Amino acid sequence: MRDLKAVGRKFMHVLYPRKSNTLLRDWDLWGPLILCVSLALMLQKSSVEGKRDGGSPEFAEVFVIIWFGAVTITLNSKLLGGNISFFQSLCVLGYCVLP
């Protein structure tokens, strides 16, 4: 229950940003995982319902693109000398998928 409250607090922080660095230090990957899976399921459902063109994204494509993109941006920031940890950056990028 504690993790669900923390994820909900971070969702609210993404929707209504405030100046607070405490959430950045307290990273988790549950929220980004929930967002990525829900986005992939919504896109998968829309591709199953409208099988017209066959060009809609599959579940695995969406999942891999989001996580590979987040890892690429995180590695880029680390190589450029950023002072944020790897998992903090993945957490922030994952929660930014929400809006």
Side-chain angles (χ1 to χ4, degrees), residues 9-85:
R9 204 172 321 118
K10 289 178 184 163
F11 281 157
M12 291 306 297
H13 191 72
V14 168
L15 294 174
Y16 300 110
R18 295 178 292 273
K19 289 188 177 188
S20 173
N21 291 334
T22 59
L23 289 177
L24 184 60
R25 281 183 254 136
D26 185 28
W27 59 268
D28 67 67
L29 297 177
W30 284 111
L33 178 67
I34 291 168
L35 288 172
C36 183
V37 168
S38 62
L39 176 66
L41 286 174
M42 286 189 302
L43 292 174
Q44 178 70 29
K45 183 179 180 222
S46 68
S47 72
V48 168
E49 289 174 352
K51 286 190 172 184
R52 289 170 282 174
D53 58 356
S56 35
E58 297 289 327
F59 179 87
E61 290 173 352
V62 173
F63 200 81
V64 167
I65 288 170
I66 288 176
W67 284 99
F68 184 71
V71 167
T72 303
I73 292 171
T74 301
L75 286 175
N76 191 21
S77 71
K78 292 301 285 181
L79 290 174
L80 290 173
N83 58 358
I84 189 170
S85 78

